[in-house]
Amino acid sequence: MTSRRHFLRWGALALPQFQLAKLIPGAKPVAKKPIVVSTWDSGKTANNGAWPVLQKGGSALDAVEQAGIFIENEPSCCVGLDGNPDRDGYVTLDACIMDHQYNCGSVVFLERIKHPISVARKLMETTPHVMLAGEGAQQFAVANGFALEPQKLSADAERTYRQWLKKSEYKPIINIENQPRPKPDRKGNGPFAPSYFDDGTPNHDTMGTVALDAAGNLSGMCTTSGMAFKMRGRIGDSPIIGAGLYVDNEVGAVTCSGQGEEVIRMCGSHLVIEFMRQGKSPEEACRLAIERIVKRDVNRAKEFQVGFIALSKAGEIGAYSVQPNFSYTVMADGINNVTTASKSYFK
């Protein structure tokens, strides 16, 4: 299983200075289109799925779907069926996809389906709906030819889950609806998903990808297994259009990773797009959105991570995060999966 993200502690890794200059706000576009950008250093896997499509002149939509498929195939803590489970021991997946014409599809609380990103696209293209959840999403997937996978945890996820159960002392309760109601406070419904793991890394590694194709069209996707040990049924920002992902073909495409609840409150990705529409560079727009999130509760913000990446219609890239060590990975002509650390609100 892929380990927790190996965050970069410097501006860029093995990036020539002339290319680094192209990544900063206000500079010229990073490269001639096409371009694909994904969250984290694991974005290399996603980009490797997207780039062959873009190189051949394919659409950004096809490219980001392949990005999702590639990362869902890779054993990981936080994406795909090999990811960590909810606190009752089940892996539930969320994903969304959006094209250059405001078409979008989303699936939430989806179990036993290997590629939620493709289910989201199928929903977008074959129904009038945007979002399906739970059993209904699974029924739709099976009816459209997606295989129903075994209900089991990967070896790594099983081991991690058992360790968490010992520490949290949480015990899933059969027929919990028949049990006496807890006291009306937050602790009465706990334990909740930890914001950070024991090694200090954040409990979220959502994979988001945005792409600009040779025709000048944008698309994006976001896929995740959500926070490890979350309450059963919890949904974060990842599958919510305007929160975890937004695409406006006149302006740009934005996705993010981090504490989903904080992103949802501010309609984060849509907020970044609107700042870009006002003339802000991608990095400036991401920074302003992060400042909006932090402003709500500065002390609380010290305890979580949120990071945005933005790709403009002109091909300029920007990112910004609450905490240090958020990174993104770029693939373009002459830029082969270069990972760069974003600037952050807290240093």
Side-chain angles (χ1 to χ4, degrees), residues 86-289:
D86 62 23
R87 68 181 187 179
D88 287 352
Y90 300 97
V91 177
T92 62
L93 305 179
D94 308 318
C96 71
I97 194 166
M98 189 170 186
D99 73 7
H100 63 292
Q101 296 178 312
Y102 300 105
N103 296 311
C104 44
S106 171
V107 290
V108 303
F109 196 58
L110 179 62
E111 298 181 87
R112 301 178 60 188
I113 300 296
K114 190 171 185 179
H115 292 303
I117 194 62
S118 294
V119 180
R121 180 173 180 178
K122 179 67 72 172
L123 175 70
M124 176 182 78
E125 294 182 336
T126 65
T127 82
H129 306 310
V130 169
M131 182 178 286
L132 282 183
E135 183 180 351
Q138 187 186 85
Q139 289 176 349
F140 173 82
V142 172
N144 281 275
F146 293 87
L148 195 61
E149 304 291 338
Q151 180 93 305
K152 66 177 183 179
L153 299 179
S154 69
D156 283 343
E158 177 78 24
R159 180 170 56 254
T160 302
Y161 178 54
R162 295 302 169 193
Q163 291 172 348
W164 178 79
L165 284 177
K166 291 178 182 178
K167 180 179 179 180
S168 68
E169 299 182 347
Y170 178 71
K171 294 179 177 60
I173 301 173
I174 298 174
N175 296 327
I176 191 172
E177 67 275 9
N178 296 327
Q179 301 295 318
R181 286 185 294 177
K183 295 179 180 179
D185 58 27
R186 294 186 178 186
K187 292 182 179 179
N189 290 290
F192 301 105
S195 296
Y196 290 86
F197 289 103
D198 291 341
D199 65 358
T201 54
N203 181 9
H204 41 70
D205 275 352
T206 300
M207 180 50 58
T209 298
V210 290
L212 177 68
D213 62 30
N217 292 319
L218 293 154
S219 290
M221 77 89 201
C222 198
T223 183
T224 187
S225 56
M227 298 185 77
F229 325 130
K230 61 194 175 186
M231 287 184 71
R232 184 150 176 82
R234 178 264 184 186
I235 305 297
D237 66 303
S238 299
I240 298 177
I241 301 299
L245 174 73
Y246 200 73
V247 178
D248 186 321
N249 209 46
E250 294 180 349
V251 180
V254 178
T255 188
C256 63
S257 183
Q259 188 85 26
E261 287 78 3
E262 305 303 326
V263 178
I264 293 170
R265 288 186 175 98
M266 302 300 172
C267 300
S269 290
H270 185 266
L271 181 62
V272 174
I273 287 291
E274 289 307 302
F275 283 134
M276 291 170 66
R277 188 187 301 280
Q278 295 169 15
K280 305 298 182 183
S281 72
E283 184 180 291
E284 290 172 327
C286 291
R287 176 179 58 79
L288 289 170

Side-chain angles (χ1 to χ4, degrees), residues 54-86:
L54 295 172
Q55 262 191 321
K56 295 175 182 178
S59 71
L61 180 64
D62 287 341
V64 298
E65 182 187 11
Q66 287 302 310
I69 289 171
F70 268 53
I71 198 66
E72 289 164 356
N73 278 336
E74 182 176 82
S76 167
C77 63
C78 307
V79 175
L81 286 177
D82 286 335
N84 288 323
D86 62 23

Side-chain angles (χ1 to χ4, degrees), residues 36-40 43 46-47 206-211 219-222 243-247 252-257 268-270 272-273 276 281-283 285-287 289-290 306-312 316-321 326-330 340-343:
V36 60
V37 189
S38 296
T39 52
W40 307 112
N47 289 355
T206 300
M207 180 50 58
T209 298
V210 290
S219 290
M221 77 89 201
C222 198
L245 174 73
Y246 200 73
V247 178
V254 178
T255 188
C256 63
S257 183
S269 290
H270 185 266
V272 174
I273 287 291
M276 291 170 66
S281 72
E283 184 180 291
C286 291
R287 176 179 58 79
I290 289 296
V306 169
F308 292 103
I309 60 172
L311 173 62
S312 77
E316 186 185 355
I317 298 166
Y320 207 84
S321 60
F326 173 66
S327 61
Y328 59 96
T329 302
V330 179
T340 303
S342 75
K343 295 178 182 178

Side-chain angles (χ1 to χ4, degrees), residues 285-302:
C286 291
R287 176 179 58 79
L288 289 170
I290 289 296
E291 289 175 352
R292 181 81 61 88
I293 289 172
V294 171
K295 182 180 179 181
R296 189 184 80 87
D297 189 332
V298 176
N299 289 329
R300 173 78 181 94
K302 296 175 182 178

